[in-house]
Amino acid sequence: MILSIESSCDDSSIAITEIATKKILYHKKISQEEQHSVYGGVVPELASRLHAVALPEILKETKPYFGKLKAIAVTNQPGLGVTLLEGITMAKTLASLLDIPLIPVHHLKGHIYSLFIEKESTLPLLVLLISGGHTQVIRIECFERMEILATSMDDSVGESFDKCAKMMGLGYPGGPLIEALALKGDENRFDLPVPLRNSPLIAFSLSGLKNAVRLKVEACGGAENMREQDKADLSASFQKAVTLHLLQKSKKIFAKEPIKNFAIVGGASANTYIRNAYKTLCQTFGKTLHVAPLEYCSDNAAMIGRYALEAYEKKQFIDPNKIDIVSTKKHQSGMLL
Ligand code: KG4
Ligand code: ZN
């Protein structure tokens, strides 16, 4: 069995995965959304302190498995330095005490492998990763070759939902709140720009759209003067503009990439409006759409464990004294390393 740990942002999570069957034998996640909600976003130092309490609490429950563990896996990049450190410290200690190998896991690769939890992988694959930290299209030829084809030049999709929700005084995380409110709104009421609409660039940008939402909030007299219907209409209009942007750039990629399997992963891939839009797009382009079960879209240790199964087979271990913490890198291109 492999014990995996995730603490790259505001979720403390541990999973136990059986190597032979890929089955999840144990999985628990303690989210900190409520504690960060008052601030409208994640406060790194608070997150780190909450991980320091939650991770040992979860770990206690996994003690019965300790005798059967063959490796410890942990997210070491990218993420918030102070929160990654909590998971890594625990992982190093466990690996040393139990005298078993340590597997470092790239968080974004974990999101990709959320598609294959308790299953075989379907490669090659094109992936749209939309999370709180990243917005990227990645071509996965095999486990060793993951190439970034497009990335956001500024904010990520999840971040833009969070910030727009904050502007409207909705709370955190913004994604689910905006999606729920949008169901009651008119997506054509507010005229918002579709980012990079006339640009040939195959890239994403969300900061201009976020600013356009800010101007609409101001035009309504600020969040405190917005009616519930105004917020619902603005949420729906914003969600539509983000989706049109993603679709427009994805179409350009689809036209060039013959790979048949396409997937959406990351926290924002839980969004039904975005999922439905991609269902239609994939039908038009003859691609098969894959998504992870809802419970594995946002950060979790089960996806870290699933990736670790592959890494374990390839003996991709690291000396506990040499594991690096790599914080969020936004403007990435080339191979996902
Ligand atoms: O993957 P994730 O849990 O963490 C990162 O790796 O960043 O993604 C969290 C992000 C948050 O920004 C959250 O607002 C967004 O995913 N999110 C959504 C939805 N559910 C979560 N965005 C849009 N629609 C949703 N239903
Ligand atoms: Zn994530």
Side-chain angles (χ1 to χ4, degrees):
M1 296 169 195
I2 294 179
L3 182 145
S4 53
I5 305 172
E6 159 63 37
S7 71
S8 66
C9 192
D10 60 344
D11 295 297
S12 316
S13 181
I14 297 181
I16 306 274
T17 312
E18 191 169 51
I19 297 170
T21 61
K22 299 186 171 56
K23 289 270 173 251
I24 308 284
L25 302 180
Y26 173 91
H27 181 224
K28 187 160 181 176
K29 154 165 151 168
I30 298 181
S31 290
Q32 309 171 355
E33 286 168 359
E34 223 181 286
Q35 289 92 330
H36 295 291
S37 185
V38 278
Y39 304 101
V42 178
V43 180
E45 275 67 28
L46 173 61
S48 150
R49 266 184 276 137
L50 292 169
H51 282 303
V53 176
L55 285 174
E57 205 174 286
I58 307 175
L59 188 70
K60 257 190 226 154
E61 296 180 12
T62 67
K63 268 201 181 145
Y65 300 99
F66 277 18
K68 292 187 176 152
L69 295 180
K70 293 282 181 236
I72 305 292
V74 65
T75 305
N76 74 319
Q77 63 162 318
L80 300 170
V82 286
T83 65
L84 285 168
L85 184 63
E86 294 300 326
I88 291 175
T89 307
M90 175 174 273
K92 279 165 74 166
T93 311
L94 283 171
S96 302
L97 281 176
L98 301 170
D99 197 20
I100 52 178
L102 179 62
I103 302 172
V105 181
H106 190 295
H107 181 76
L108 304 189
K109 293 181 180 177
H111 272 302
I112 293 166
Y113 272 79
S114 68
L115 295 163
F116 311 134
I117 289 174
E118 302 195 315
K119 299 202 273 203
E120 289 303 326
S121 54
T122 328
L123 301 180
L125 180 73
L126 275 180
V127 169
L128 171 69
L129 188 150
I130 40 177
S131 68
H134 293 80
T135 293
Q136 295 182 337
V137 177
I138 305 159
R139 187 209 290 122
I140 298 123
E141 275 160 35
C142 59
F143 180 71
E144 283 86 8
R145 283 194 67 79
M146 302 192 188
E147 188 180 354
I148 301 166
L149 302 180
T151 192
S152 173
M153 303 190 293
D154 39 64
D155 293 352
S156 69
V157 167
E159 196 177 2
S160 71
F161 272 86
D162 293 340
K163 290 191 176 155
C164 289
K166 190 178 178 184
M167 286 179 223
M168 289 188 271
L170 302 180
Y172 172 86
L177 296 167
I178 287 192
E179 181 180 5
L181 208 49
L183 290 174
K184 297 181 240 159
D186 171 5
E187 64 178 26
N188 298 316
R189 161 139 174 240
F190 289 98
D191 189 22
L192 294 171
V194 176
L196 304 177
R197 176 182 238 155
N198 299 315
S199 162
L201 276 180
I202 301 184
F204 302 103
S205 169
L206 279 310
S207 68
L209 175 59
K210 178 184 69 184
N211 200 42
V213 170
R214 187 179 61 79
L215 294 174
K216 298 292 182 200
V217 172
E218 278 175 16
C220 290
E224 52 297 348
N225 290 313
M226 284 176 91
R227 290 174 305 131
E228 210 45 29
Q229 194 56 50
D230 294 332
K231 292 183 184 181
D233 294 345
L234 190 52
S235 294
S237 306
F238 162 74
Q239 183 172 256
K240 179 185 163 198
V242 173
T243 307
L244 287 176
H245 174 43
L246 292 174
L247 289 179
Q248 197 207 4
K249 297 303 173 187
S250 301
K251 268 186 208 165
K252 287 187 194 282
I253 295 172
F254 280 12
K256 290 207 272 188
E257 292 290 335
I259 296 174
K260 268 203 144 328
N261 287 308
F262 174 77
I264 327 175
V265 299
S269 74
N271 186 292
T272 305
Y273 185 90
I274 297 177
R275 283 186 175 204
N276 286 341
Y278 271 94
K279 256 182 219 159
T280 312
L281 187 75
C282 284
Q283 270 164 9
T284 313
F285 280 82
K287 303 223 183 269
T288 308
L289 178 66
H290 301 261
V291 285
L294 283 180
E295 64 178 310
Y296 299 130
C297 289
S298 58
D299 292 349
N300 65 84
M303 68 187 196
I304 302 305
R306 178 62 186 87
Y307 177 88
L309 290 180
E310 310 281 326
Y312 179 78
E313 216 172 84
K314 294 179 174 60
K315 297 202 168 30
Q316 293 184 351
F317 308 140
I318 193 162
D319 178 339
N321 296 314
K322 294 198 177 133
I323 187 165
D324 276 336
I325 299 172
V326 188
S327 314
T328 308
K329 268 189 266 160
K330 284 224 163 151
H331 306 280
Q332 252 183 330
S333 61
M335 302 303 284
L336 203 59
L337 296 172

